[in-house]
Amino acid sequence: MVGAVITEGGVIVAEGFHAAAGQPHAEVMAMRALGRAPRADAILHVTLEPCCTHGRTPPCVDAILQAGFRTVVVGATDPNPAHAGKGIGRLREAGVAVVEGVLRDECTDLNFLFNHWITAARPLLALKVAATLDGKLVSAAGEPRAITGPAAQADVHRWRRLFPAIAVTADTLLADNPRLTARDADGEHAPVRFVLDRQFRSAGRAGLNLFTDAFRGRTIVVGLASAVRAADQAWFEAEGIQVWSLPGDGADFLDAWAERGAAEGITGVLIEAGPRFASVLLREGVADYLFAYIAPRLGGNPESPAWFEGGAFPLVAETTSLFGQDALFRGYLG
Amino acid sequence: MVGAVITEGGVIVAEGFHAAAGQPHAEVMAMRALGRAPRADAILHVTLEPCCTHGRTPPCVDAILQAGFRTVVVGATDPNPAHAGKGIGRLREAGVAVVEGVLRDECTDLNFLFNHWITAARPLLALKVAATLDGKLVSAAGEPRAITGPAAQADVHRWRRLFPAIAVTADTLLADNPRLTARDADGEHAPVRFVLDRQFRSAGRAGLNLFTDAFRGRTIVVGLASAVRAADQAWFEAEGIQVWSLPGDGADFLDAWAERGAAEGITGVLIEAGPRFASVLLREGVADYLFAYIAPRLGGNPESPAWFEGGAFPLVAETTSLFGQDALFRGYLG
């Protein structure tokens, strides 16, 4: 997510944003929106350092210089270590005044998925939990099911729309029959929906939302090649559901899944885990990032384990936000 | 805490607040600040329903009517069930337009200590913890000691200044040697400081802040009458420290302490507990209220128990606030 704003005399005269890979970058969109040459006092503000190399689009630095901007304000630098600072350097060499690092943390956070992708070349695996203060993901028996309130739930839907993929275990699929779509004022959208199902236990379960709804072509069941049966494979194919059969004995199942995701260009996966799987992801260091929605409630189901059993796993980057009376703690896991 | 504001034509022309028991109420202070009769279009806004009975001060309803206000806006109603609504009723009978319930929850929250006192006739026992996301009150060995950041710590000092009393166990006193003062831009202030010390183990411990600082006259060591020795009693007296020797065998020690506090007019105690005592307070239903500061960190000391071990204790009223990247969850325990 990159945005650009052009101001003249302190007044915003044009805006642009980068809509999708291969589309023009935010700076170019803002210049197009302006539709004329910028005034001499115009300032271009952009959340991410302008690119200076030919990717899928021509370098933005050239467009900025051709347009004649004398001042550029930059939020975050290029996350690619090979490019970081080069776009700013090219602008300065050409005599443009560049102000760096304005709202740097916020601008960097806008691209946390892409930044991880560029530096790690793997999907960002983000664990999402919604918990009571005492670490339970489920209420006591007889209590209403949802831990968090409507504002936090709406925020989850925003993240589901941002992430290219979402994942649940087969246990969650079979117990809860989730939809895993992003539902907002624009309607319903589906990221890629992974079902982590080593033994393909979900094969033949025809009644499930993920296997029947309008987005079932974006459901991918991930299991072990050693466990897949021809009949199951045929059933999934007939239902229009993709299957990833991963090699290996299962010891590195999650790693093999992430590698395959990387090969398919999936930059991030939001993992909606139950308490045991959440603890595994933390303990084994599989999760890169955490979204913890905490509700102002004690007294989760005492039969259920906490989501953080069995290890010390510091958070590094930190952003805390309020949604109604729930707090979201998110950041990189150390 | 009660505040009043007088507006004329939508502009604030006077303000007042209730400074201390026996002092004039907020409405009267605002009228005094105005220093003249209110205009015909004047509106009196007050966070708490005006009183209609003679307490330590004359009834505010009479003063409002004498001043000639035609419109009064009220936040919370009187917490005393015997008086609730009567002040508003008297105003309406006299032809004053009363708008009720404006920011009712916020105005009620302003007086949460007093409201509990009026209805329960006992101190509000409020448990305060500052914890990691995984429920630990202490960091892993080698980590910096403080769980929460400076903004949350400053907020604790504000609550210490609001509460008439604070409490720690003898274990905490002897291990941490706390000061338990409220430190802010105005300087250092001390609430009554309780040491919960059944066996008077702290007797003779001359080096402790609570026994030596300028506020040591506000330190009260609470133990069992059956455990106090004459020499210990004499030592505390010589140091200028109060002793409460409670009757009974200790089974209802905390209850006896609260009863004595009620008899002494102490409306609330902020209990700064370690994890085991916090869990006892929750499990046994002793704590009325919770302040839980949660830091965006996992990985508290795995040797230490969580602060919520062993029970289900729902929160009822709920207020969540951000202090830096820490969240404060507070409310009544069900």
Side-chain angles (χ1 to χ4, degrees):
Chain A
M1 288 196 288
V2 182
V5 166
I6 300 170
T7 59
E8 291 177 342
V11 175
I12 294 174
V13 293
E15 298 177 353
F17 68 95
H18 181 225
Q23 298 287 310
H25 286 180
E27 305 91 316
V28 173
M29 292 301 284
M31 288 183 237
R32 284 189 193 173
L34 185 62
R36 57 168 171 79
R39 275 177 19 191
D41 67 343
I43 300 176
L44 174 69
H45 309 72
V46 60
T47 60
L48 180 64
E49 176 179 7
C51 66
C52 63
T53 53
H54 274 275
R56 299 197 223 185
T57 62
C60 289
V61 164
D62 293 352
I64 292 167
L65 295 175
Q66 280 160 23
F69 284 100
R70 307 301 304 150
T71 307
V72 174
V73 175
V74 173
T77 47
D78 193 316
N80 187 334
H83 298 160
K86 287 195 178 165
I88 290 170
R90 284 258 338 264
L91 290 171
R92 285 190 173 138
E93 284 162 22
V96 174
V98 180
V99 181
E100 282 185 79
V102 174
L103 297 176
R104 182 194 305 271
D105 291 347
E106 291 83 349
C107 290
T108 300
D109 186 46
L110 280 175
N111 293 307
F112 75 114
L113 283 182
F114 185 69
N115 296 345
H116 181 270
W117 177 255
I118 285 295
T119 53
R122 275 168 64 108
L124 182 90
L125 300 184
L127 167 63
K128 174 240 146 184
V129 294
T132 60
L133 277 171
D134 49 339
K136 302 303 176 73
L137 306 190
V138 286
S139 302
E143 298 267 314
R145 195 173 176 287
I147 296 284
T148 48
Q153 291 172 39
D155 190 57
V156 171
H157 284 263
R158 285 191 287 271
W159 291 113
R160 282 183 181 170
R161 191 154 181 195
L162 178 75
F163 271 82
I166 197 166
V168 293
T169 62
D171 283 342
T172 297
L173 177 77
L174 299 175
D176 298 346
N177 188 18
R179 291 156 72 186
L180 302 183
T181 51
R183 298 181 290 277
D184 59 23
D186 283 353
E188 190 170 15
H189 314 266
V192 168
R193 300 176 298 184
F194 286 113
V195 179
L196 301 174
D197 186 9
R198 290 167 193 242
Q199 303 301 322
F200 290 102
R201 290 186 292 128
S202 64
R205 297 295 298 261
L208 299 167
N209 288 317
L210 262 59
F211 294 168
T212 56
D213 69 11
F215 308 106
R216 64 186 178 280
R218 296 175 66 71
T219 298
I220 303 177
V221 179
V222 184
L224 288 169
S226 57
V228 71
R229 298 179 306 169
D232 294 342
Q233 181 90 42
W235 183 84
F236 284 119
E237 277 172 20
E239 300 293 320
I241 295 155
Q242 299 176 64
V243 170
W244 286 5
S245 299
L246 301 179
D249 60 1
D252 59 354
F253 178 72
L254 296 172
D255 195 56
W257 166 57
E259 287 295 330
R260 173 74 183 269
E264 305 273 348
I266 290 172
T267 57
V269 186
L270 187 64
I271 307 175
E272 305 207 358
R276 289 177 187 80
F277 190 49
S279 292
V280 166
L281 292 171
L282 291 166
R283 213 160 49 219
E284 299 189 358
V286 174
D288 303 302
Y289 199 90
L290 176 69
F291 289 83
Y293 294 88
I294 307 296
R297 296 171 52 192
L298 285 162
N301 189 338
E303 307 295 311
S304 179
W307 58 271
F308 42 64
E309 299 288 357
F313 6 75
L315 286 180
V316 179
E318 301 162 355
T319 307
T320 309
S321 327
L322 283 186
F323 294 97
Q325 300 301 328
D326 304 318
L328 166 61
F329 299 88
R330 68 181 172 92
Y332 291 94
L333 290 157
Chain B
M1 288 195 288
V2 183
V5 167
I6 299 169
T7 58
E8 291 177 341
V11 176
I12 293 173
V13 293
E15 299 177 353
F17 67 96
H18 181 226
Q23 298 287 311
H25 287 179
E27 304 91 316
V28 172
M29 293 299 286
M31 288 184 237
R32 284 189 193 173
L34 184 61
R36 58 169 170 79
R39 273 177 18 191
D41 67 343
I43 299 175
L44 174 69
H45 309 72
V46 59
T47 60
L48 180 65
E49 177 180 6
C51 65
C52 62
T53 54
H54 274 274
R56 299 197 224 187
T57 62
C60 289
V61 164
D62 294 352
I64 293 167
L65 295 175
Q66 280 159 24
F69 284 100
R70 307 302 304 150
T71 307
V72 175
V73 175
V74 172
T77 46
D78 193 315
N80 186 335
H83 299 161
K86 288 195 179 167
I88 290 170
R90 285 257 338 264
L91 291 171
R92 285 192 173 137
E93 284 162 21
V96 174
V98 181
V99 181
E100 282 184 79
V102 174
L103 297 175
R104 183 194 305 269
D105 291 348
E106 292 82 350
C107 290
T108 300
D109 186 46
L110 280 175
N111 293 306
F112 75 115
L113 281 182
F114 186 68
N115 296 344
H116 181 268
W117 177 255
I118 285 295
T119 52
R122 276 166 63 109
L124 182 90
L125 300 184
L127 167 62
K128 175 239 143 184
V129 295
T132 59
L133 277 172
D134 48 340
K136 302 303 176 74
L137 307 189
V138 286
S139 302
E143 298 267 314
R145 193 173 177 288
I147 296 284
T148 49
Q153 290 172 39
D155 189 58
V156 171
H157 284 262
R158 285 191 288 272
W159 291 112
R160 283 184 180 171
R161 191 154 181 197
L162 177 76
F163 270 82
I166 196 165
V168 294
T169 62
D171 283 341
T172 297
L173 177 77
L174 298 174
D176 298 346
N177 187 18
R179 291 158 72 188
L180 302 183
T181 52
R183 299 181 289 278
D184 59 23
D186 283 353
E188 190 170 14
H189 315 266
V192 169
R193 300 176 299 183
F194 287 112
V195 179
L196 301 174
D197 186 10
R198 291 167 192 243
Q199 304 299 322
F200 291 102
R201 290 186 292 128
S202 64
R205 296 295 299 261
L208 298 167
N209 288 317
L210 261 58
F211 294 168
T212 55
D213 69 11
F215 308 106
R216 65 185 177 282
R218 295 175 66 71
T219 298
I220 303 177
V221 179
V222 184
L224 288 169
S226 58
V228 72
R229 297 179 308 166
D232 293 343
Q233 181 91 39
W235 182 83
F236 283 120
E237 277 172 20
E239 300 292 321
I241 295 156
Q242 299 176 63
V243 170
W244 286 5
S245 299
L246 301 178
D249 60 0
D252 58 354
F253 179 73
L254 296 171
D255 195 56
W257 166 57
E259 287 294 329
R260 174 74 182 269
E264 304 274 348
I266 290 172
T267 57
V269 186
L270 187 66
I271 307 175
E272 305 207 358
R276 287 178 188 80
F277 191 49
S279 292
V280 167
L281 292 171
L282 291 168
R283 213 161 47 217
E284 300 190 355
V286 175
D288 303 302
Y289 199 91
L290 175 69
F291 289 83
Y293 294 88
I294 307 296
R297 296 170 50 192
L298 285 162
N301 189 338
E303 307 296 311
S304 179
W307 58 272
F308 42 64
E309 298 288 356
F313 5 75
L315 286 180
V316 179
E318 301 162 354
T319 307
T320 310
S321 326
L322 283 187
F323 293 97
Q325 300 301 330
D326 304 319
L328 166 60
F329 300 88
R330 68 181 172 91
Y332 291 95
L333 290 157

